[in-house]
Structure formats: C-alpha cells, structure tokens
Amino acid sequence: VVFLIFNILCFISLSMFKLLIYYLFCYRYGMGTAAVDQSLYPLHRCKTIHLVRHAQGVHNVEGEKNHDAYMSEDFFDAQLTPLGWKQVANLRNHVKSCGLSKRIELVIVSPLLRTMQTASGVFGGEAHSDGIKEAPLMTENIGDSDHPAISSVNCPPFLAVELCREQIGNHPCDKRRAISEYQNMFPAIDFSQIETDEDTWWTPEREKREEVTARGLKFLDWLWTRQEKEIAVVTHSSFLFNTLSAFGNDCHPNVKSEIGKRFANCELRSIVIVDRGMIGSDESSTNYPGKIPSGPDLPSDVADDKLSTNGSNV
C-alpha cells in the first residue's frame, strides 16, 4: 500500500511538473496565452483618452526649492512660467505633427488657471484676430504672461470639469477663482458643468489620497456618459497619479508601473479605457449586421459538425 501511494504521489508530482513546463513554454513563446495576456473588447465599448499634466507653474519652481512655498498665498491659482509656455508650444507642435490635434473630439480641463492656459495653448486655434466673430478661447496676457489671445476657431470644444481638479485643500495654488472671472479670461470654454461660481470645494484641510482616487474613478464613470470617443484631459499630477494607481493590477508589473508613473510637466500619455460593465449606452457606428441581401451562410465548421453527427447516426 505504501509503495502504491508513493507511486501515485510520484505520478502526480511528475504531471504537475510537466504542466508547469508547458505553461512556461507557452509564456516564453506566446502559445495559447491569449486568455491570460490579452483581452478583446468591442471597439464601441472603448474610449481613447489623452492625459496631459499642465506645464510648469510658478508654484512648481518655488515648491521644488522649498516645499513650504505651496502654503504661500502668493501662488493662489498658480499660473504658468515662461518656461511653462515653451513646454506648451513644444507639446502643441507634437500633437500637430503626429495628427492627434485632428482626432480629438473634446478637451476636458480642470478649472484652474494653469490647466486652462495649458489646454488652450496645446489644443486651441491660432492667434486670435479682432476680425473673427467667434469668442477667443483665451484672452491676451492671462496670468501676466504677455501671451497673445488664442482663437477658438478650428479646435475641438473645451469643457471645464471640477471632478478632475488637483488634490484639494490646504495649498492656495490649488484653489480656483470665481467662474465668472474665468469666463472673462477664457470666453470659449464651457463652464456649465460647474455648479457654483465661488470655490466651495477647497478647504483648509488637505484631501486624502484615497479621496482623490475615489473622485478620479467617479470622473472616469462620468466620462462614459460622453458620446465622444477620443478625448483630451488636461489636469494635474496628484489627480493623475492617485487615479491611475487604481489600475493595472491585472497586468504585467512593468505595465502596472507604466500606468502609475508620475507625470512630468506638460507630459502627454494616451490610454484606452474599456467599458466592462456596460456603463456606456451607445451602439457601434462601424459594426455591420451582414446577410444583406440575405442568403445561405452555414459556416464550414458547423457544416463539418453536422456531417460528423449525421455520419455517426447512420
């Protein structure tokens, strides 16, 4: 009996070893691993999101020298530095040269000065002319920048959304102005999603990281209510880091690291988000039902199965 049990255990161990070797072989050469390493989703249940962190702000410069500078009222609703505007110009050239500027259907922007300056400079039109009837996207010299006005002609619509603001509270640089003031600075940005003129979100107490993550996930859920499929989101470092850190746990560690890496000033990363829970209600604009006109279309594998079944019954 002992000998029999020993042989059974050896057989099981050998079988498990062979199975392990098989899976290692599959992993190494990519055989039969699609269910583990890849996923397929209908195109109309996906959105392409182009995430952008704002360019360098005056608070970034001083905060790097001394973290206490973030507490200074001097940096209330911090604006871009001259170097930040150069970063904006470089990113603008990139999105034009790679064709991205022609594909984006909507620009969502955090309602703070540095993000709206960045979004306008990167995705807006050319220099605004007084002869143009449309309201400018950004008026001139916003934030004492000496930057010319930016046109809203031939650019996607811009929508300010409070959910994608920076981590809220404690730091004056993350407190916004009244929306009525912003409307004079950025006449073509749509502020209709924001409920109050004054900033009722900012408090002296700093928002916890897990609260930022929860807000970020709520923002992504809201994003699915939009019909646009390719969207740019111009936002902030902490918001991006804490939101994206919630993802990638089902991926290779390198992919998880890539998703959660902190953004540099004026960095752009493109991601695809997938509607696994059927939050979105729209239908595919490219799928085609087939059989038009209708006719016989028995698949060959089904025909083979029928033939095999009929043959076995004879």
Side-chain angles (χ1 to χ4, degrees), residues 79-80 85 113 117 138-150 177 184-186:
Q79 73 269 17
L80 298 187
W85 279 110
L113 189 56
Q117 286 177 313
M138 186 185 81
T139 57
E140 63 182 355
N141 195 33
I142 294 302
D144 297 325
S145 62
D146 292 327
H147 196 283
I150 298 174
R177 302 164 195 253
N184 293 325
M185 299 177 175
F186 303 93

Side-chain angles (χ1 to χ4, degrees), residues 29-94:
Y29 294 102
M31 297 174 58
T33 59
V36 176
D37 296 336
Q38 300 170 351
S39 297
L40 295 178
Y41 294 96
L43 179 62
H44 68 286
R45 301 200 182 282
C46 303
K47 288 184 189 290
T48 302
I49 310 299
H50 304 282
L51 301 172
V52 179
R53 181 192 174 194
H54 64 80
Q56 185 192 69
V58 292
H59 65 306
N60 295 136
V61 177
E62 296 304 318
E64 190 163 328
K65 298 175 186 176
N66 178 10
H67 188 268
D68 291 341
Y70 288 115
M71 302 296 295
S72 174
E73 289 288 344
D74 293 340
F75 302 118
F76 163 69
D77 191 20
Q79 73 269 17
L80 298 187
T81 65
L83 177 62
W85 279 110
K86 291 179 181 178
Q87 293 171 342
V88 167
N90 288 334
L91 181 54
R92 179 183 179 84
N93 290 337
H94 169 73

Side-chain angles (χ1 to χ4, degrees), residues 218-273:
K218 184 177 180 181
F219 170 75
L220 293 178
D221 283 345
W222 170 83
L223 210 56
W224 277 113
T225 67
R226 304 292 311 185
Q227 293 298 311
E228 297 88 356
K229 293 298 183 182
E230 196 149 359
I231 302 172
V233 179
V234 184
T235 179
H236 307 265
S237 173
S238 183
F239 176 81
L240 288 166
F241 177 76
N242 286 292
T243 300
L244 296 179
S245 293
F247 295 91
N249 295 319
D250 55 348
C251 300
H252 188 281
N254 289 350
V255 177
K256 168 72 173 175
S257 177
E258 181 180 353
I259 292 173
K261 185 175 64 172
R262 287 192 178 274
F263 277 65
N265 280 130
C266 220
E267 180 178 356
L268 179 151
R269 283 186 224 160
S270 300
I271 64 169
V272 175
I273 58 175

